[in-house]
Amino acid sequence: MSAAQAITIPDDLVDCLRSARHVAVLTGAGISAESGVPTFRDALSGLWAKYRPEVLATPEAFVRNPGLVWEWYTWRRELVRTVQPNEGHRALARLADRFETFTLITQNVDGLHQRAGSREVIELHGNLARVKCFEQGHIIADWQEDGTVPPRCPRCQGRLRPDVVWFGEALPEAGLAAAFAAASDCDVFFAIGTSGLVHPAADLPLAALRAGRPVVELNPEPTPLSRRCTYQLRGNSGAILPVLVAALG
Ligand code: OAD
């Protein structure tokens, strides 16, 4: 028996999805793990092993050592360019077509959902592919790599930084509001590949539970959400999501 055949999706979850009008999905770094993008709480290997992401992903870290922070994001941007969306990303892009409303919310900054064909992704933590001016905040589409690290803003000569949300910074207001509205409006909420440790994203499944919506956790490991969620699907998203889509017929 292959690993895929061993995966079973509970019948009542399949029934619930078949009659669902609105499905909302929150993804985290785990969905991109099978593409080769390390998760945040994985032990990193190589050059960056000694840096904790929480220590680099702050405005204070950028002020202290802008070159180090810029280089770390350059490393991640280059890594993401070389990888491909996996079966989990692709299954979610297919799943969207089955429901009247499908809200895909991600904490990831890698753009892999869009590359797999998902449209209208709510990116709560920004996107690695964009940069903005640290001083004035405007988004910069083109900049010169003249050896200055970080490169300078072509408009005001300020320092450039990635357009991602760092610890201590506010999430995009409209995206966050849409995500919370979806959590309480949906018929089923999925939390996929997230450790549930970073707020406010981690509050979304709890908001869905408070609104009486079934919450499905998909993760190979238990998380703080596990004991509260309605269904637990234990395993890798790249293996489970295609089986779930197939189960819907
Ligand atoms: P984490 O690295 O905290 O958690 C990744 C989760 O994915 C863990 O619970 C793993 O068990 C699970 N996982 C690993 N492989 C998987 C697979 N193949 N399929 C499904 N799940 C798998 O990542 P996030 O929860 O996304 O924020 O982290 C949240 C935020 O913390 C990030 O967006 C980032 C980070 O610091 C900022 O940078 C602001």
Side-chain angles (χ1 to χ4, degrees):
M1 186 187 279
S2 75
Q5 283 169 319
I7 296 166
T8 29
I9 311 295
D11 288 342
D12 50 345
L13 173 58
V14 173
D15 290 344
C16 186
L17 285 167
R18 285 205 177 121
S19 61
R21 169 196 51 90
H22 181 181
V23 167
V25 176
L26 169 70
T27 63
I31 194 155
S32 297
E34 289 156 90
S35 291
V37 182
T39 66
F40 289 92
R41 283 151 192 93
D42 267 348
L44 288 184
S45 53
L47 186 59
W48 297 103
K50 61 186 167 147
Y51 298 106
R52 290 204 349 262
E54 296 90 329
V55 172
L56 290 173
T58 66
E60 293 76 20
F62 187 76
V63 168
R64 225 177 9 251
N65 198 339
L68 175 75
V69 174
W70 178 266
E71 293 290 7
W72 186 60
Y73 280 97
T74 301
W75 171 75
R76 291 182 59 201
R77 190 180 300 118
E78 294 304 320
L79 174 89
V80 161
R81 252 185 222 146
T82 63
V83 305
Q84 299 302 324
N86 64 53
E87 286 305 319
H89 297 108
R90 282 194 278 273
L92 284 182
R94 292 198 300 279
L95 195 63
D97 297 332
R98 297 186 163 262
F99 305 101
E100 199 180 302
T101 309
F102 187 80
T103 308
L104 179 55
I105 308 151
T106 190
Q107 296 165 87
N108 299 345
V109 295
D110 57 27
L112 288 173
H113 284 303
Q114 292 89 333
R115 283 172 57 194
S118 286
R119 297 174 301 273
E120 296 177 43
V121 183
I122 299 177
E123 291 180 315
L124 290 180
H125 292 167
N127 192 305
L128 264 181
R130 289 189 306 263
V131 303
K132 65 181 183 185
C133 175
F134 181 70
E135 266 69 39
Q136 300 195 359
H138 33 249
I139 302 289
I140 300 297
D142 282 308
W143 71 93
Q144 294 289 321
E145 290 280 3
D146 64 356
T148 316
V149 180
R152 296 286 153 172
C153 171
R155 281 167 61 177
C156 73
Q157 296 305 306
R159 292 162 294 182
L160 291 183
R161 56 162 285 181
D163 185 21
V164 299
V165 176
W166 283 333
F167 288 98
E169 295 185 320
L171 276 68
E173 221 173 282
L176 192 61
F180 274 99
S184 46
D185 174 74
C186 68
D187 300 304
V188 183
F189 188 96
F190 282 85
I192 301 176
T194 178
S195 57
L197 297 174
V198 176
H199 296 266
D203 297 322
L204 287 163
L206 305 178
L209 285 171
R210 272 197 302 277
R213 313 303 176 191
V215 171
V216 186
E217 177 179 67
L218 196 172
N219 199 310
E221 305 292 336
T223 75
L225 176 67
S226 304
R227 62 188 176 81
R228 303 182 62 176
C229 67
T230 323
Y231 299 97
Q232 296 181 33
L233 302 177
R234 283 274 160 264
N236 291 341
S237 46
I240 293 181
L241 285 171
V243 175
L244 184 131
V245 174
L248 296 182

